């Protein structure tokens, strides 16, 4: 019988296996990466397009196209598209990111040949009806108006704009930008971005020769969109803005967001920096949570993250605290950073973080879809699965001294931009 008075033995994760994708090309050259796994007759096909032709005077072109691309084609209205996709038990999802936009199709294998032509029509014949655009603009302006009342939203967008300027990573969108969104701009962007030479397909699920033949038959020929395009490319230089206070006299809580440009996934220090970040504010047992939430009671939650984009990386700490303890919270945040730079992390604490990070990695690989997502992360960073092998090795072997060195190298608060919205 199980003795429940004894804690179960704790063991470190030994091995994490990643599924390598099969690389193929459609007849028109579109690369297709397939994670063929799973027993269910289900597949996810993701068409990913690089964002192109950035125009700071029209910052919503890519966003608008991503939101409205399945709202009407030459042959099908938005309702007809939705009804047809529903009829086959399929699901369409569009996503906009700062570097890429995508359209995902989830479908049963037996309906693949019937659903893919609908998606082909969307990716080639979308017309962005004026009525749908007007609804989109109205809804987005209302959403923006609501968000502008939230301190955390204001802090997030001011911080991003301060370090990235008017690029897709940091553009401050205003209601006027939605008013300026024109159907012709959407169509022009659509014709430039949604074309084979700008497309990568990542497939996950049960997907074998027959399914690939169907995909190639529908998408491996000429597409309608052929306009010229230039993939977005940006360079950034660190220019810390110091402290930026957006005063809101009626505020009960102040939102804090602080950090700086940093390294991205391509840098050899990135895995070690992720361990350091986890210690500081990357999980519920982190130092920031233990001090500022559990000990001081200044906040419900505080966290930090190191983010990798294609053309930049950045580090940030974010929280909301009572206005009367805002200055105290800032002091405690800097204190925790200073401790990482001046004292060695105890082995017991480091072992806890190692187990958390390895367990999180293992838990994030539950099915073919999550394996495809992991591949996507490294592929669009110009890396391969060796990155994860190095990541796991780093988590298992990094020393307290190496973490202290990384803290001294990357957590210089004098170079931080600190945004506070509320009162202090």
């Amino acid at each position: 019988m199980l003795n429940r008075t004894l804690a179960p033995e704790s063991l470190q994760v030994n091995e994490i296996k990643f599924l390598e994708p099969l690389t193929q090309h459609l007849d028109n050259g579109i690369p297709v990466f397939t994670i063929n796994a799973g027993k269910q007759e289900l597949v996810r096909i993701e068409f990913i397009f690089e964002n192109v032709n950035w125009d700071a005077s029209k910052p919503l072109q890519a966003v608008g196209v991503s939101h409205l691309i399945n709202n009407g084609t030459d042959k099908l209205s938005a309702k007809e598209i939705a009804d047809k996709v529903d009829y086959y038990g399929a699901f369409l999802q569009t996503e906009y990111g700062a570097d890429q936009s995508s359209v995902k199709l989830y479908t049963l294998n037996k309906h693949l040949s019937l659903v893919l032509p609908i998606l082909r029509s969307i990716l080639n014949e979308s017309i962005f009806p004026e009525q749908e655009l007007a609804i989109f603009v109205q809804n987005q302006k209302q959403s923006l108006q609501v968000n502008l009342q939230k301190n955390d939203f204001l802090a997030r967008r001011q911080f991003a704009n301060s370090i990235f300027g008017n690029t897709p990573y940091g553009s401050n969108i205003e209601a006027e930008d939605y008013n300026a969104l024109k159907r012709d701009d959407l169509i022009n962007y659509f014709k430039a971005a949604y074309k084979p030479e700008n497309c990568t397909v990542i497939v996950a699920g049960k997907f074998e020769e027959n399914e690939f033949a169907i995909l190639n038959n529908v998408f491996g020929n000429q597409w309608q969109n052929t306009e010229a395009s230039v993939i977005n490319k940006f360079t950034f230089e660190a220019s810390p803005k110091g402290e930026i206070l957006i005063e809101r006299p009626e505020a009960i809580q102040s939102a804090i967001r602080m950090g700086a440009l940093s390294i991205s996934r391509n840098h050899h220090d990135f895995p070690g920096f992720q361990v350091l970040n986890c210690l500081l504010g990357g999980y519920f047992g982190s130092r920031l949570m233990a001090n500022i939430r559990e000990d001081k009671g200044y906040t419900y939650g505080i966290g930090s993250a190191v983010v990798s984009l294609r053309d930049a990386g950045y580090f940030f700490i974010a929280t909301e605290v009572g206005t009367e303890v805002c200055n105290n919270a800032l002091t405690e945040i800097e204190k925790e950073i200073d401790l990482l730079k001046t004292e060695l992390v105890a082995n017991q604490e480091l072992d806890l973080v190692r187990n958390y990070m390895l367990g999180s990695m293992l838990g994030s690989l539950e099915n073919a879809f999550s394996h495809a997502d992991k591949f996507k992360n490294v592929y669009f960073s110009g890396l391969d699965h060796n990155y994860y092998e190095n990541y796991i090795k780093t988590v298992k072997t990094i020393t307290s001294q190496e973490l202290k060195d990384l803290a001294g190298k990357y957590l210089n608060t004098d170079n931080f931009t600190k945004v506070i919205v509320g009162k202090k």
Side-chain angles (χ1 to χ4, degrees):
M1 179 178 291
L2 184 64
N3 185 349
R4 297 185 183 279
T5 63
L6 299 176
E9 186 180 5
S10 176
L11 299 173
Q12 191 178 79
V13 175
N14 276 330
E15 186 179 9
I16 299 176
K17 291 184 178 179
F18 294 86
L19 299 179
E20 291 278 357
L22 171 67
T23 303
Q24 298 168 285
H25 289 83
L26 302 184
D27 288 345
N28 57 5
I30 296 177
V32 179
F33 300 96
T34 301
I35 301 291
N36 183 19
K39 297 179 180 177
Q40 302 293 323
E41 297 285 338
L42 174 69
V43 65
R44 184 185 80 183
I45 304 177
E46 184 173 9
F47 290 77
I48 303 171
F49 302 89
E50 298 287 349
N51 293 340
V52 300
N53 297 355
W54 169 252
D55 182 346
S57 68
K58 300 175 181 177
L60 291 172
Q61 288 183 104
V63 180
V65 169
S66 180
H67 274 78
L68 294 168
I69 192 170
N70 59 353
N71 281 11
T73 71
D74 284 342
K75 303 179 181 67
L76 300 169
S77 67
K79 183 178 184 306
E80 287 170 331
I81 291 172
D83 287 347
K84 283 179 173 288
V85 171
D86 283 348
Y87 177 78
Y88 293 114
F91 178 66
L92 278 176
Q93 182 180 28
T94 61
E95 285 185 358
Y96 168 78
D99 293 317
Q100 291 96 20
S101 302
S102 69
V103 181
K104 294 180 184 175
L105 169 68
Y106 298 80
T107 183
L108 297 173
N109 291 52
K110 64 182 179 181
H111 295 319
L112 186 62
S113 63
L114 299 170
V115 177
L116 281 181
I118 303 171
L119 183 54
R120 179 182 170 88
S121 178
I122 290 170
L123 295 180
N124 281 271
E125 301 165 348
S126 286
I127 57 173
F128 305 95
E130 290 282 8
Q131 183 182 2
E132 300 291 342
L133 174 59
I135 294 171
F136 169 74
V137 168
Q138 181 181 5
N139 290 342
Q140 293 300 309
K141 284 168 60 179
Q142 289 176 351
S143 177
L144 177 64
Q145 192 173 15
V146 171
N147 284 330
L148 288 174
Q149 304 306 311
K150 301 175 182 175
N151 290 355
D152 62 332
F153 175 85
L154 289 172
R156 183 167 64 248
R157 87 175 199 154
Q158 180 60 57
F159 176 77
N161 186 253
S162 296
I163 63 174
F164 293 124
N166 290 324
T167 68
Y169 300 163
S171 184
N172 267 350
I173 301 300
E174 303 288 353
E176 291 72 22
D177 294 314
Y178 288 104
N179 292 334
L181 198 58
K182 304 300 181 191
R183 177 172 176 264
D184 285 348
D185 292 331
L186 298 182
I187 291 174
N188 291 337
Y189 185 87
F190 172 65
K191 290 182 178 298
Y194 289 71
K195 56 187 180 182
E197 53 268 42
N198 194 43
C199 178
T200 301
V201 176
I202 296 181
V203 181
K206 195 167 185 179
F207 193 83
E208 299 177 339
E209 286 186 19
N210 182 51
E211 285 77 17
F212 181 80
I214 295 171
L215 180 69
N216 191 39
N217 183 52
V218 177
F219 284 99
N221 43 33
Q222 186 173 1
W223 293 23
Q224 290 189 15
N225 294 337
T226 58
E227 296 297 319
S229 63
V230 176
I231 294 174
N232 295 345
K233 180 72 177 174
F234 303 98
T235 57
F236 302 97
E237 292 186 6
S239 58
K241 304 296 191 298
E243 184 174 297
I244 300 170
L245 174 63
I246 300 175
E247 287 196 88
R248 306 194 85 182
E250 76 287 359
I252 298 173
Q253 285 195 316
S254 293
I256 298 170
R257 185 164 285 241
M258 56 195 292
L261 283 175
S262 189
I263 54 177
S264 66
R265 189 176 283 113
N266 301 80
H267 197 286
H268 61 85
D269 281 343
F270 192 75
F273 193 23
Q274 286 181 295
V275 179
L276 180 68
N277 170 68
C278 193
L279 270 166
L280 177 64
Y283 76 124
F284 195 82
S286 70
R287 291 189 174 191
L288 290 176
M289 284 291 278
N291 180 350
I292 295 170
R293 174 193 152 100
E294 301 297 320
D295 185 43
K296 304 297 187 304
Y298 292 161
T299 182
Y300 286 112
I302 181 169
S304 65
V306 52
V307 180
S308 179
L309 302 167
R310 186 178 56 205
D311 294 331
Y314 67 99
F315 168 81
F316 72 91
I317 297 169
T319 187
E320 285 187 276
V321 300
T323 54
E324 71 281 5
V325 294
C326 183
N327 281 320
N328 292 342
L330 289 168
T331 300
E332 293 299 323
I333 290 171
E334 297 217 14
K335 174 185 161 187
E336 291 299 337
I337 291 174
D338 286 341
L339 286 173
L340 286 172
K341 292 193 288 188
T342 55
E343 296 183 4
L344 294 176
V345 178
N347 288 336
Q348 185 178 8
E349 183 182 11
L350 183 52
D351 285 342
L352 184 63
V353 168
R354 292 188 210 278
N355 290 336
Y356 171 79
M357 294 184 72
L358 293 171
S360 296
M361 174 63 80
L362 190 62
S364 69
L365 294 169
E366 58 187 1
N367 54 40
F369 297 168
S370 51
H371 277 272
D373 290 338
K374 282 284 185 290
F375 167 73
K376 187 168 60 176
N377 288 341
V378 292
Y379 175 75
F380 285 103
S381 296
L383 302 168
D384 57 26
H385 277 102
N386 289 329
Y387 167 80
Y388 290 117
E389 292 179 12
N390 181 49
Y391 170 88
I392 292 167
K393 180 182 176 183
T394 301
V395 172
K396 287 183 173 181
T397 62
I398 194 166
T399 66
S400 296
Q401 182 61 52
E402 288 171 328
L403 287 169
K404 183 181 170 188
D405 293 342
L406 287 173
K409 195 172 179 181
Y410 295 113
L411 296 181
N412 184 355
T413 53
D414 290 339
N415 292 334
F416 279 11
T417 293
K418 302 171 187 174
V419 179
I420 299 150
V421 181
K423 291 188 293 187
K424 59 172 292 192

